[in-house]
Amino acid sequence: DYRLNERHYGALQGYVKADVEAGKYDHDPKDVQDWRRSWYAIPPLLEDGDERRVEEIRRFGNACGGEENVPRGESLEMVAKDRITPFLEEVLTPALDFAVQQRRRNNVVAPEIQEEEEGGTGLVVAHANSLRALIGVICNVEQDPIALSKLEQMKIQTGV
């Protein structure tokens, strides 16, 4: 599902992360860190006329349900609100609920705990920041400053 794609880094898209962090493109390292980890910080947006933007719309417009869904740059909050929450509501939760119903139908769940069991187990494969946004939604970090701080500091391993 396209909603699990990596967040869009706007005008930083396509640059080597180490070069951006080192200031090669005249960005302050503190700003770069905020854009990478902060829930609310939005990197500089990719301009509509930028050749990278034109190519993204050409390549991903249909896959994302229309060019209006191809972002120009995103904060983690935007990823959570615009992509992860709808994915949870429309895809993941119904799939997990269906799995539980199937187990009940096949008598895999003991009768004494059938009424208590909710949800199921699933595997979500996504990019690190999409997973960060997913964790943020599940943990409701916008309502918990301590959880939000921990999420922003969290290092999610890739390729393991």
Side-chain angles (χ1 to χ4, degrees):
D1 192 297
Y2 79 91
R3 294 173 288 195
L4 297 176
N5 285 345
E6 175 64 286
R7 69 181 280 201
H8 195 296
Y9 279 95
L12 307 178
Q13 198 80 353
Y15 291 156
V16 175
K17 180 174 76 170
D19 290 345
V20 174
E21 291 175 330
K24 182 175 180 180
Y25 303 101
D26 298 323
H27 298 105
D28 183 281
K30 170 74 171 97
D31 290 338
V32 174
Q33 183 65 20
D34 285 346
W35 296 330
R36 290 190 60 238
R37 291 289 174 88
S38 170
W39 187 256
Y40 298 104
I42 303 170
L45 299 180
L46 195 56
E47 297 293 330
D48 286 331
D50 188 300
E51 63 186 44
R52 295 171 294 172
R53 174 81 179 146
V54 172
E55 178 63 12
E56 288 173 354
I57 289 172
R58 185 190 70 73
R59 289 182 63 200
F60 304 116
N62 289 334
C64 295
E67 79 176 60
E68 67 277 1
N69 292 325
V70 180
R72 295 179 27 214
E74 299 173 293
S75 67
L76 286 171
E77 175 195 33
M78 294 164 72
V79 173
K81 181 181 124 240
D82 299 339
R83 296 198 275 127
I84 297 300
T85 298
F87 173 78
L88 282 172
E89 293 170 353
E90 298 167 15
V91 177
L92 190 58
T93 299
L96 295 175
D97 289 345
F98 179 77
V100 169
Q101 291 171 0
Q102 290 299 102
R103 287 199 315 266
R104 286 182 180 154
R105 251 185 239 123
N106 295 328
N107 292 318
V108 175
V109 178
E112 62 273 10
I113 63 168
Q114 276 192 7
E115 294 302 316
E116 297 173 16
E117 184 181 25
E118 292 183 14
T121 301
L123 172 66
V124 176
V125 178
H127 292 272
N129 276 309
S130 298
L131 293 172
R132 188 183 310 282
L134 176 65
I135 293 165
V137 170
I138 291 170
C139 295
N140 198 19
V141 297
E142 290 187 357
Q143 305 304 316
D144 184 344
I146 294 171
L148 178 59
S149 176
K150 287 183 179 185
L151 180 72
E152 290 176 338
Q153 295 171 34
M154 183 184 296
K155 173 100 172 111
I156 297 177
Q157 296 295 320
T158 58
V160 288

